[in-house]
Amino acid sequence: MWEKKPVLFLLLATLTILVGTIITMVLPFAWVNTEADRIASVKPYTALQLAGRDVYIREGCNNCHTQTVRPLVAEVLRYGDYSKSGEFVYDRPHLWGSRRTGPDLARIGGKYPDAWHYQHMAAPTSMVPRSNMPAYAFLGLGLVDPAYTRKKMEVLDFPYQEADITALQGKSEMDALVAYLQKLGSDIPWRQAAQTIMVGELQNPYQSDSSVLEAGGALFAQHCAACHGDDMTGGIAADIHDLDLPDADLYEIIFNGIPDAGMPGFAALGPDRVWKLVTFVKYHKRH
């Protein structure tokens, strides 16, 4: 029947596509990105952070790293609550992405101290041995352009003081990029919300069990040595070779991290492997 009325068929097909497009791509703008979605604690980028964001885009970091936590159980457990539109109100353009060659960076801010980022950007495998990220040590040689950054702040209508622009003098692109990374996700209290509250008495199932030391040592080398040093005498993070803490307290620290000190939590390892880490670290205290 329709093959005999091609013009009518074409018009109906076009109408169907048009209605579908309006429903799925146009109407949603009526109820997203409104004032109701705004998150009061999310602030505009500072001049240094904005300069770093442009370095991030220029170097194509967004081609390998996404910046959105999807509403999937695995992602929420790893990165915290899923992303809300209010978190990106000052992102122009947004850098959500869809392909992850590297980890999502939506909540990377505050996960590590600045020193970790500097070292990681300069020599990624020194901090993450299995990383396939290229080195960006050269960013330490390029300087931020204060005048150009001022223009960008004005175009984007971000508030700034003249002192903020003056403070850019002598700042490297590496400084700016680290400032930008530390901004990501730091305006919302997601870490406090995601922190696990320990209930009941924690008992180390491997206390005095030397059979798990090898596994604990491997976990330490993979997740801890880059900051605490191979011999636990410190570096980016504290000296822990003589750490004197009850097993339960050390377990809680490793599990939840110390956000104020830039130590990430390792809940994703699971309780069994965290206890093996505890046993390995405490073994060095006793020997």
Side-chain angles (χ1 to χ4, degrees):
M1 169 185 177
W2 293 107
E3 63 271 18
K4 297 179 180 178
K5 301 176 181 178
V7 175
L8 180 59
F9 178 76
L10 181 62
L11 290 174
L12 289 175
T14 302
L15 180 63
T16 301
I17 294 172
L18 183 61
V19 170
T21 302
I22 291 174
I23 292 175
T24 60
M25 300 187 68
V26 178
L27 289 183
F29 284 99
W31 58 81
V32 300
N33 295 329
T34 65
E35 282 302 310
D37 296 316
R38 188 176 292 276
I39 301 173
S41 58
V42 175
K43 306 298 182 187
Y45 292 102
T46 65
L48 186 62
Q49 292 165 351
L50 182 62
R53 190 170 196 270
D54 284 349
V55 172
Y56 183 93
I57 295 172
R58 185 194 71 195
E59 297 301 328
C61 304
N62 50 303
N63 293 325
C64 293
H65 296 282
T66 56
Q67 288 188 22
T68 181
V69 180
R70 293 171 290 197
L72 304 174
V73 173
E75 297 208 5
V76 171
L77 288 175
R78 180 175 182 181
Y79 298 113
D81 197 13
Y82 65 87
S83 296
K84 312 295 191 302
S85 60
E87 296 177 43
F88 311 102
V89 66
Y90 298 110
D91 285 5
R92 303 165 193 167
H94 72 73
L95 299 173
W96 300 330
S98 59
R99 182 177 180 179
R100 290 177 180 168
T101 302
D104 185 88
L105 300 182
R107 307 279 167 78
I108 191 69
K111 182 176 182 179
Y112 304 105
D114 287 355
W116 187 94
H117 285 292
Y118 280 101
Q119 181 62 31
H120 181 242
M121 295 299 299
T125 53
S126 68
M127 306 306 292
V128 184
R130 298 176 63 181
S131 175
N132 60 356
M133 188 176 105
Y136 290 89
F138 63 89
L139 294 179
L141 303 176
L143 295 179
V144 171
D145 183 340
Y148 187 44
T149 303
R150 178 194 282 109
K151 288 182 180 178
K152 290 186 288 187
M153 294 291 283
E154 291 171 350
V155 168
L156 293 171
D157 198 25
F158 289 167
Y160 71 92
Q161 303 292 326
E162 194 56 36
D164 300 330
I165 303 301
T166 303
L168 295 178
Q169 294 287 351
K171 292 290 185 183
S172 69
E173 292 182 332
M174 182 76 87
D175 296 328
L177 184 56
V178 171
Y180 170 64
L181 292 173
Q182 293 289 33
K183 160 81 167 173
L184 296 178
S186 61
D187 284 343
I188 55 173
W190 72 272
R191 283 197 174 85
Q192 292 86 336
Q195 198 168 46
T196 300
I197 298 175
M198 305 295 172
V199 178
E201 184 179 355
L202 295 171
Q203 187 69 38
N204 186 352
Y206 301 117
Q207 194 168 32
S208 302
D209 183 354
S210 60
S211 68
V212 301
L213 292 178
E214 183 177 352
L219 288 167
F220 184 88
Q222 182 178 356
H223 300 286
C224 314
C227 291
H228 291 288
D230 293 332
D231 56 359
M232 301 188 186
T233 55
I236 290 176
D239 179 343
I240 59 170
H241 86 282
D242 195 30
L243 191 64
D244 189 15
L245 278 177
D247 287 10
D249 291 352
L250 182 54
Y251 175 90
E252 194 166 351
I253 289 174
I254 296 173
F255 200 87
N256 283 324
I258 309 176
D260 292 340
M263 175 180 164
F266 291 91
L269 292 177
D272 184 70
R273 288 194 286 180
V274 172
W275 278 124
K276 288 175 180 175
L277 262 176
V278 169
T279 304
F280 178 75
V281 173
K282 294 300 294 289
Y283 173 83
H284 282 77
K285 164 64 180 174
R286 294 191 291 269
H287 297 80

